[in-house]
Amino acid sequence: MQSFRTELENPIVEEEILELEKRIRAFKEGKESDDKFKSLRLARGVYGQRQAGVQMVRIKLPFGRVTSEQLHKICNVSDEYSRGRLHITTRQDIQIHHVSLERTPQLWEELAKDDVTIREACGNTVRNVTASPTAGIDVNEPFDVSAYARATFQFFLRNPICQEMGRKFKISFSSSEEDTALSYIHDLGFIAKLKDGKRGFKVVLGGGLGSQPRHADELYDFIEAKKIIELIEGVIRVFDRYGERSKRMKARMKFLIKEIGKDAFMKLVEEQKTALSGVVPKFETEKYEAAPPLQDVTVPAVKIDDDEAFKTWKSTNVIPQKQQGLFAIGIRVSLGDFYTPEARKLADLIKKYAGNEMRFTLRQDILLRHVREEFLPFFYTELKKLGFAEAGYNKTVDITACPGTDTCNLGIASSTGIAAVLEDLLKEEYPHFVNGRDITIKISGCMNACGQHNMAEIGFQGMTVKSGKSVAPALQVLLGGGQFGDGKGRFADKVIKIPSKRGPHAFRRLLNDFEKESGEGERFTEYYERQGKTYFYDLLKDLSDTSKLSQDEFIDWGHDAPYIKAIGVGECAGVVIDLIATLLFESEEKIDNAKTALQRKSWADSIYHSYTSIVNSAKALLLAEDVKTNTQAGIISQFDELFVQTGKIELSTSFKEFAYQMNENEPGETFANKYLEDAHLFLKRVDAYRTKEVQDA
C-alpha cells in the first residue's frame, strides 16, 4: 500500500487524513488489531458492510445542507470510489457503499476540499446534528435554527470530550412547535421558542429508539439560545463519565437517565460547570436567515402537458417560504436512493435558477429552497425529466426504510424490498393517499430502528419466523406511533409477527379498516388508540399462522433464493475491546494530544485529554486484575479501593480527588500544564507497577 501526500489548506484535517492512511497501512500489515483499528475508522465515517472487503462511507452533512459545489464533489467521489449511488439517511447524511478501505483517505481528502467531512459520522461520537429541513424558510418558525445547529456541529467536532463515549449521541433542532426534527427521540432535542423577545429553546433530554424506545424528558421549557453549548457540553461530559461501556445494549444515555433519574443526572451536570471550556461560539445567524441572492436569469419557457398532474404536484410538493415570493420544492426520493447523473443536474438547477442550496430530510427526501414562483413550471418539467416530480412529498406514499439486508451487517429481513412493494401497492390501489391523509410508514431491517419503525403510525421490523425446522423472513407489525409536536410523541405497539410475504395483505387490511372505521379528520394514531391493540391483533391474527407456509414465503422480498439468516457484528457504535497494552499506549497518545492542545492554547481540550489519559491508565491496571470497568466513574471508584487505599499506588490524595481536579479548577494555562504533568507522572507510575507485576509473575 503506497502512502500519499495531501494538498489541503486545513492542517488539522490534513494530519487526520495522513493518520488514517498510516493506520490502514499498519492494520493491513498486521501491526494493529482489528478492534483497535475499528474504533478509529468508525470515528472517520468508515463502516463495515455486509459484503466482505468493502466499506460504507457516511458523509456528515450538518442539518442536511448542501450546496451545488458540494453536491458535485460528492458525486465525483461516488463515481470515483463507489458505484454512483447516493443514499440519504434518516439523519440527513449521505452514504456511499462498496468503497475499498485503502482508498478512504483519498476520498476524504477530495471531500475536504469543499468543506465536507466524514469525521465522526459513525462510532461512539456526537453524530450528525439534525434540524428541520424547512429551517430558515418555515412560515411558523420564531427564528432560523440553522446557525445554532451549525455552531453545535462545529463545537463538538474533534472535541476531546466526545471522541470515545460508551455509545453514540444524537442532537436535533426543530424550527417550530411542529417539531419536525423529532426532538423526543433524541439524546438532546431543541425546539425554537421566543420569550420576552429573546431567542431560546425548549429542551428535552434522554430520548431514543432501538429495541427499547424511550420518550425524552422535558428538561427546560425555555433556555436562552446563548446557553445551549454550555448545556450540551455539561451533559456530554456526564454521559462520557457515567455512561455504560461494557454492555453495549445498555450504553445509550436513555439508560443512564432511567437508572439515576433526570434530577440526579442534572445535578452531575451542574457539578461540571467549573470545568467547562467557557467558549461561547459565534452563532452566524445572518449567514442563514436572509434569502441568498438569486441569479438574474430569465425563466425558460415550458409547456405543461398535464395540468392536473402539475396542480397535484404543487399541492403536495411545493411549500411557500416565509420569504415573500419564494417557494421550496420537495422531492420524494424512493428509499432515499438516487444516482449521480440526476444529482449533478439538480446541483446545476439550484446553482443557476434557485438559491444554490438544498437540504436532505429526515424522511430521506430532498428539499430545494428559494425558488421564485414564476420558475415553478420550469422546475416541474426539469424534475419530471429526472424522475423527481412524483407527487406525495411527506405523504403516506413517502415510505422510510433503512438499507437492511442489502448492505447492513445487522439486517435480518429485507426492508427495502417490502418498502418498494408497499409503495407500488399504494400508488396502484390507494392513489388518494398520495395527496390525502398522511400515515407515516417506516421500516427497519432489525430492532435497532435505523428506519425509525417504532415511532411510525404503521411500522414494520425485520425478523424471522420458524416453520417446522425451516426459517422464513418475517415482519413485526407495529401500530399507533405518532409525532404530536412540541417534544411529544407516542411509540408504536408491537401487535403481531407475520411472514414477510404477507406484509401487503396486512397493509391492505389496515388501510381498508382505517377508511371504513375512522372518523372524519381522525388521525391514524387516534383511530388506533380508540380501537385498541387487541382489535388490530384480531384483525391480523390469521396472517400469523406459520403451519403451512408456501415455498414462496421462504424467499425474502427482492431475492430469488430461499432465505438464510445471516447476521454479522454490527458497527453502529462498536465497543472497542480494550487490552492492557493498548490502553497504556492510548494513554501516551492522549498525553501527546494534551500537549498539542496546549500549544494551540486550547486549555479545556488539553485538560480533558489529560483526564482521559488518567482514566485509561487506571483502567489498564483494573483490567489486569480482571475487574469489570463499565463506566469511567466506576473506574475511578474501583481504582481508589483496589490500588490507592491498599497502598499499591501512592497518591497524596484519593484517586477521585486526583482525577476530578478539573471540576475544581477553571480551565486555564496554569492548571492545564499542572494537570498534564500529573497525568504524565501517573502514567509512569502505573507503567512501572505493571512492569514489576509482569516481571514477578
Side-chain angles (χ1 to χ4, degrees):
M1 180 174 172
Q2 298 294 317
S3 59
F4 74 104
R5 300 182 63 84
T6 67
E7 300 176 355
L8 297 177
E9 295 179 3
N10 188 326
I12 295 175
V13 179
E14 182 176 46
E15 183 180 339
E16 288 180 338
I17 293 173
L18 291 171
E19 173 69 8
L20 175 62
E21 190 269 345
K22 182 178 77 173
R23 298 282 286 272
I24 290 173
R25 204 156 10 104
F27 171 68
K28 289 291 183 180
E29 293 169 359
K31 297 176 182 177
E32 183 159 353
S33 71
D34 180 61
D35 292 308
K36 191 168 187 297
F37 178 63
K38 184 191 295 183
S39 177
L40 177 108
R41 67 171 167 79
L42 284 172
R44 273 68 177 169
V46 182
Y47 186 103
Q49 266 186 222
R50 194 180 189 93
Q51 296 79 8
V54 290
Q55 314 290 317
M56 176 271 284
V57 174
R58 184 175 292 148
I59 300 169
K60 194 173 187 180
L61 300 168
F63 51 97
R65 183 180 186 269
V66 67
T67 64
S68 173
E69 294 80 4
Q70 289 172 328
L71 186 55
H72 269 295
K73 179 54 64 72
I74 291 169
C75 290
N76 293 344
V77 160
S78 182
D79 285 339
E80 171 66 24
Y81 299 96
S82 180
R83 299 180 176 182
R85 187 187 77 166
L86 309 175
H87 177 73
I88 307 168
T89 76
T90 54
R91 294 209 62 75
Q92 300 175 292
D93 296 305
I94 284 289
Q95 291 177 176
I96 59 177
H97 296 82
H98 303 282
V99 178
S100 168
L101 177 62
E102 291 88 341
R103 302 190 75 195
T104 52
Q106 294 95 324
L107 180 155
W108 186 1
E109 180 189 17
E110 286 303 309
L111 290 172
K113 292 175 183 176
D114 281 277
D115 193 28
V116 178
T117 190
I118 60 176
R119 188 74 157 85
E120 295 158 49
C122 304
N124 301 322
T125 59
V126 174
R127 295 294 185 86
N128 196 27
V129 178
T130 60
S132 300
T134 54
I137 62 173
D138 186 348
V139 294
N140 296 316
E141 68 183 16
F143 57 88
D144 184 0
V145 300
S146 302
Y148 302 94
R150 176 72 185 180
T152 300
F153 158 77
Q154 289 178 315
F155 184 81
F156 291 100
L157 188 71
R158 301 183 178 86
N159 195 311
I161 71 170
C162 52
Q163 296 304 298
E164 297 173 4
M165 298 182 292
R167 283 297 301 272
K168 56 193 172 185
F169 194 95
K170 297 181 177 180
I171 302 170
S172 74
F173 286 83
S174 285
S175 59
S176 72
E177 290 185 1
E178 192 178 351
D179 196 15
T180 51
L182 310 173
S183 65
Y184 70 101
I185 65 169
H186 283 78
D187 295 296
L188 273 173
F190 296 87
I191 304 170
K193 303 275 185 179
L194 284 177
K195 187 174 182 181
D196 300 328
K198 291 183 178 179
R199 292 184 172 192
F201 295 92
K202 179 177 183 175
V203 185
V204 296
L205 170 79
L209 292 177
S211 60
Q212 299 179 55
R214 183 181 190 274
H215 194 295
D217 299 323
E218 181 177 322
L219 185 57
Y220 297 112
D221 179 63
F222 181 85
I223 183 173
E224 286 188 55
K226 65 182 180 181
K227 296 180 179 180
I228 63 169
I229 299 297
E230 177 185 281
L231 170 65
I232 302 170
E233 184 181 357
V235 167
I236 289 177
R237 282 173 177 263
V238 171
F239 175 55
D240 188 37
R241 190 168 306 162
Y242 293 92
E244 172 69 42
R245 288 175 178 269
S246 295
K247 300 173 184 175
R248 182 175 176 276
M249 299 304 293
K250 297 287 185 181
R252 289 295 301 274
M253 196 179 74
K254 62 185 178 182
F255 294 108
L256 178 58
I257 301 288
K258 184 178 179 181
E259 179 185 351
I260 68 174
K262 181 181 71 173
D263 292 343
F265 182 90
M266 291 309 297
K267 184 178 179 183
L268 293 171
V269 173
E270 185 67 24
E271 292 172 1
Q272 306 305 309
K273 281 201 168 180
T274 303
L276 298 182
S277 62
V279 174
V280 180
K282 184 180 186 306
F283 299 113
E284 299 176 297
T285 53
E286 304 84 1
K287 179 178 177 180
Y288 296 100
E289 292 186 352
L294 303 178
Q295 298 231 33
D296 185 16
V297 291
T298 304
V299 55
V302 295
K303 183 178 184 300
I304 303 296
D305 296 327
D306 188 336
D307 284 333
E308 282 303 312
F310 178 57
K311 288 178 182 176
T312 299
W313 174 80
K314 282 208 299 183
S315 69
T316 64
N317 294 45
V318 177
I319 303 167
Q321 295 187 187
K322 69 179 184 182
Q323 293 87 0
Q324 191 68 30
L326 295 182
F327 293 81
I329 296 174
I331 297 174
R332 187 165 64 80
V333 182
S334 181
L335 304 180
D337 291 334
F338 66 122
Y339 294 84
T340 53
E342 291 78 20
R344 284 194 172 90
K345 290 175 182 175
L346 277 182
D348 293 338
L349 279 173
I350 63 170
K351 175 76 171 178
K352 186 172 183 180
Y353 298 107
N356 193 23
E357 178 190 357
M358 65 174 67
R359 298 204 183 179
F360 300 119
T361 82
L362 290 86
R363 283 181 79 158
Q364 302 175 291
D365 291 329
I366 298 171
L367 189 68
L368 311 183
R369 297 151 63 95
H370 312 302
V371 178
R372 284 171 281 200
E373 186 171 13
E374 60 270 26
F375 279 66
L376 290 176
F378 167 70
F379 266 85
Y380 174 72
T381 57
E382 291 300 303
L383 293 177
K384 193 172 181 181
K385 294 174 188 175
L386 302 177
F388 282 158
E390 284 201 43
Y393 174 79
N394 270 357
K395 299 296 183 182
T396 303
V397 73
D398 202 352
I399 298 173
T400 300
C402 71
T405 52
D406 291 357
T407 55
C408 179
N409 278 320
L410 290 176
I412 297 173
S414 175
S415 45
T416 57
I418 183 64
V421 170
L422 296 185
E423 181 180 329
D424 288 342
L425 186 154
L426 277 165
K427 289 190 284 190
E428 292 170 12
E429 300 181 27
Y430 301 88
H432 47 293
F433 276 101
V434 170
N435 60 349
R437 297 158 87 172
D438 178 27
I439 301 173
T440 54
I441 303 163
K442 297 178 181 287
I443 306 170
S444 299
C446 75
M447 65 181 179
N448 282 325
C450 294
Q452 302 176 336
H453 65 275
N454 44 15
M455 60 162 288
E457 291 171 289
I458 299 177
F460 296 97
Q461 175 194 327
M463 302 189 79
T464 59
V465 66
K466 281 191 175 182
S467 180
K469 295 183 179 180
S470 301
V471 177
L475 295 170
Q476 176 80 60
V477 181
L478 299 95
L479 301 173
Q483 196 268 98
F484 306 144
D486 204 26
K488 299 177 179 65
R490 184 188 192 281
F491 293 119
D493 294 329
K494 295 177 182 178
V495 175
I496 200 166
K497 183 166 67 170
I498 61 174
S500 288
K501 284 297 176 73
R502 298 178 190 175
H505 304 303
F507 193 52
R508 283 191 188 93
R509 288 190 191 181
L510 291 168
L511 293 185
N512 290 341
D513 196 79
F514 177 57
E515 290 191 298
K516 179 182 176 183
E517 301 295 338
S518 64
E520 186 175 351
E522 187 176 32
R523 291 184 56 174
F524 189 92
T525 305
E526 297 166 335
Y527 145 78
Y528 173 80
E529 288 185 326
R530 177 169 57 79
Q531 299 286 42
K533 179 178 177 179
T534 303
Y535 174 87
F536 292 94
Y537 175 82
D538 291 339
L539 181 69
L540 304 175
K541 183 179 179 181
D542 63 299
L543 296 178
S544 67
D545 182 6
T546 60
S547 59
K548 295 180 181 179
L549 292 186
S550 67
Q551 186 176 353
D552 180 60
E553 289 177 312
F554 287 101
I555 301 173
D556 206 354
W557 293 108
H559 295 263
D560 299 320
Y563 175 79
I564 298 175
K565 184 177 180 180
I567 306 171
V569 177
E571 296 186 351
C572 299
V575 176
V576 180
I577 298 174
D578 296 308
L579 301 175
I580 298 165
T582 297
L583 281 169
L584 294 177
F585 173 71
E586 288 179 350
S587 290
E588 291 179 6
E589 286 187 329
K590 294 178 193 305
I591 284 173
D592 288 339
N593 292 339
K595 291 176 181 176
T596 302
L598 271 178
Q599 292 168 0
R600 298 198 311 266
K601 298 185 179 181
S602 300
W603 317 130
D605 285 2
S606 175
I607 290 164
Y608 209 84
H609 283 306
S610 296
Y611 162 76
T612 52
S613 173
I614 290 168
V615 173
N616 255 30
S617 300
K619 183 176 181 179
L621 288 195
L622 288 171
L623 195 64
E625 298 289 332
D626 199 26
V627 175
K628 292 182 179 179
T629 54
N630 58 338
T631 68
Q632 288 184 349
I635 290 168
I636 291 167
S637 174
Q638 289 167 314
F639 192 86
D640 249 335
E641 182 181 340
L642 295 176
F643 287 95
V644 178
Q645 293 173 15
T646 58
K648 293 179 180 178
I649 296 288
E650 292 186 8
L651 293 175
S652 59
T653 67
S654 70
F655 185 62
K656 181 178 180 180
E657 290 175 335
F658 174 74
Y660 287 161
Q661 290 179 71
M662 63 177 182
N663 288 351
E664 309 300 324
N665 294 271
E666 293 184 4
E669 182 176 7
T670 301
F671 176 65
N673 274 294
K674 176 189 177 299
Y675 201 43
L676 171 59
E677 185 179 349
D678 286 347
H680 195 200
L681 291 173
F682 181 69
L683 173 59
K684 285 185 175 181
R685 195 167 296 180
V686 166
D687 195 34
Y689 178 88
R690 173 64 184 162
T691 301
K692 185 176 184 300
E693 288 290 298
V694 172
Q695 290 172 346
D696 292 345

